[in-house]
Amino acid sequence: MALLRKINRILLVLLVLMVCLLLRSTLLRASTRPRLSENRKSPKNAGQVSQEHAAEAHDVVPVVICASEERMGASMATINSIISNTDASVFFYVVTLRDAVKLTRRYIEKTKLKGIRYKIVEFNPMVLVGKVKPDSSRPDLLHPLNFVRFYLPLLDILHSRVIYLDDDIIVQGDIRDLFNIKLKPGHAAAFATDCDLPSTHETVRSIGMQTTYMGFLDYRKQEVKDLGINPSDCSFNPGVFVADMNEWKKQKVTKELEKWMEENFRQNIYSSAMAGGVATPPMLIVFHDKYTILDPLWHIRHLGWSPDVHYPENFLQEAHLLHWNGPFKPWNYPAVHLDRWEKWFIPDPSGRFSLERPDDDS
């Protein structure tokens, strides 16, 4: 009997150890990748639907957009502009940090956006440890959500193709037309090049915006020279792109992007002091000569690089998408073409996000 009790105690200890090992393994996996929030809601709420249901429909246009706490109103304006200019079924992957999940859900549920189909995805910034250096020159460019575009496969997206959009964007065209672009065989993404629209060239030159690889990479570094990329090659802006998820995974794009992030962490081959900050250069390197070119009207950019330089009104009317990339955002002041953005702004039901205008008392 004593021997039997001893064996039972040994078995119990072994069982406890196995449970502890399983818990430790689960916690380690959770800490090394972006996490999804559960977002369980009652069946009567049609807005927040499961990814499984979203993937059933083949005519859905999936859009990935980030929603940071301090720029929540920007993301909601982008979403509003998309759904207001299409009759397509759009599904939004709204990516945010843990502290902003409740705010994100409230902004959607308590406004005219309550009928959209969406899933809130929680991004874990720990995935960036050892890949991004602190930099005081442009701290906004180092926000963890700036790097979500690198990690699309880790967002558990069940669609084979998605559109990624920055939050400082207004969509004036039918998003379905952008989604339906034909990607060339072997291409994992489609971008608009920085040399593609003669109508903007004079404006771009006047504000000193870079349009070639020379403006984004440090060609004094041997690691950059070894790439064999001509410094005069046209760059592209990764704030708008269409991604083929199967090709992205097949080509291990995320792993390649991380490799260059880690290389920059060690060698400083680009920095936020250069034109594209730290999120653009890895994309430029990995996708060099390996992307499909978008119709330039689907990415009219640089609206945020000067508070004084305006585009012609007829040109803005033709644009399918407007991008206020740069430091002068349309929800602040000064900025240009405020009416084009404010048309889609939805007031924050929590009162945290507000527009800054010259007649404000604050």
Side-chain angles (χ1 to χ4, degrees):
M1 248 347 246
L3 178 61
L4 182 60
R5 284 196 300 270
K6 186 175 182 180
I7 291 173
N8 286 338
R9 283 198 296 270
I10 292 172
L11 289 174
L12 181 61
V13 170
L14 289 174
L15 180 61
V16 171
L17 285 173
M18 287 178 65
V19 170
C20 290
L21 286 172
L22 285 172
L23 286 172
R24 182 176 182 273
S25 176
T26 301
L27 289 171
L28 282 174
R29 285 198 301 270
S31 67
T32 56
R33 58 173 293 177
R35 301 191 319 140
L36 297 176
S37 55
E38 292 296 328
N39 295 313
R40 291 188 177 94
K41 299 177 72 176
S42 61
K44 65 181 180 180
N45 197 321
Q48 175 96 13
V49 298
S50 70
Q51 292 184 71
E52 289 76 17
H53 291 159
E56 287 175 3
H58 297 292
D59 59 345
V60 169
V61 177
V63 175
V64 176
I65 185 167
C66 296
S68 66
E69 184 173 1
E70 58 273 23
R71 290 166 53 146
M72 192 67 64
S75 307
M76 300 305 155
T78 303
I79 292 173
N80 187 28
S81 71
I82 292 171
I83 63 173
S84 299
N85 288 296
T86 185
D87 58 3
S89 177
V90 184
F91 185 85
F92 294 96
Y93 292 93
V94 186
V95 188
T96 191
L97 301 181
R98 175 177 293 182
D99 292 345
V101 168
K102 289 183 180 178
L103 179 62
T104 304
R105 186 181 296 117
R106 182 178 181 185
Y107 214 132
I108 294 173
E109 292 180 356
K110 301 297 183 181
T111 65
K112 62 179 290 187
L113 299 178
K114 61 185 177 182
I116 69 170
R117 304 177 67 212
Y118 72 103
K119 184 173 183 65
I120 297 175
V121 182
E122 184 185 316
F123 185 73
N124 185 352
M126 291 301 294
V127 76
L128 302 175
V129 173
K131 302 180 183 74
V132 180
K133 287 182 179 179
D135 193 317
S136 59
S137 60
R138 288 290 302 278
D140 55 313
L141 297 178
L142 298 176
H143 194 288
L145 294 181
N146 264 359
F147 302 92
V148 165
R149 71 196 86 194
F150 291 11
Y151 293 97
L152 297 183
L154 298 187
L155 303 180
D156 287 349
I157 294 171
L158 298 184
H159 298 88
S160 60
R161 172 184 287 209
V162 298
I163 296 172
Y164 172 88
L165 298 178
D166 278 350
D167 63 0
D168 49 357
I169 278 171
I170 290 299
V171 176
Q172 300 186 140
D174 188 335
I175 196 73
R176 179 167 41 195
D177 295 338
L178 175 60
F179 182 71
N180 288 335
I181 181 178
K182 185 176 181 180
L183 270 67
K184 293 181 179 179
H187 284 180
F191 304 90
T193 77
D194 286 329
C195 306
D196 59 8
L197 202 58
S199 305
T200 67
H201 287 177
E202 184 177 345
T203 299
V204 169
R205 282 195 297 270
S206 70
I207 60 179
M209 186 61 197
Q210 299 296 322
T211 59
T212 66
Y213 274 67
M214 176 64 80
F216 296 87
L217 303 177
D218 187 349
Y219 275 84
R220 295 170 299 180
K221 299 294 175 66
Q222 191 60 45
E223 292 81 6
V224 173
K225 294 177 182 178
D226 290 344
L227 289 169
I229 298 175
N230 191 321
S232 63
D233 282 357
C234 288
S235 52
F236 60 81
N237 183 296
V240 176
F241 63 90
V242 181
D244 181 317
M245 297 303 296
N246 294 327
E247 281 294 332
W248 192 289
K249 295 172 185 175
K250 178 182 176 182
Q251 298 177 29
K252 297 181 173 58
V253 171
T254 295
K255 186 177 181 180
E256 286 295 305
L257 291 168
E258 286 190 316
K259 182 183 80 172
W260 287 104
M261 291 171 74
E262 291 165 355
E263 186 68 24
N264 184 64
F265 192 87
R266 292 189 298 267
Q267 304 289 339
N268 201 35
I269 59 175
Y270 53 83
S271 73
S272 61
M274 302 188 78
V278 293
T280 297
M283 300 283 278
L284 292 177
I285 293 171
V286 172
F287 284 101
H288 181 253
D289 278 349
K290 292 191 296 184
Y291 66 92
T292 299
I293 297 177
L294 290 176
D295 179 340
L297 290 177
W298 269 109
H299 196 175
I300 303 303
R301 47 211 178 277
H302 311 317
L303 276 73
W305 275 99
S306 169
D308 303 310
V309 179
H310 294 71
Y311 284 125
E313 188 59 29
N314 61 341
F315 177 67
L316 294 176
Q317 290 175 0
E318 294 175 3
H320 304 322
L321 182 148
L322 302 174
H323 188 183
W324 279 263
N325 59 307
F328 299 98
K329 303 301 183 185
W331 52 88
N332 293 330
Y333 188 85
V336 297
H337 306 300
L338 301 180
D339 57 325
R340 288 275 168 183
W341 185 89
E342 198 165 341
K343 178 181 178 181
W344 308 108
F345 172 65
I346 299 173
D348 181 359
S350 73
R352 296 190 196 181
F353 184 93
S354 59
L355 303 184
E356 292 184 16
R357 296 295 182 255
D359 55 350
D360 287 350
D361 293 330
S362 56

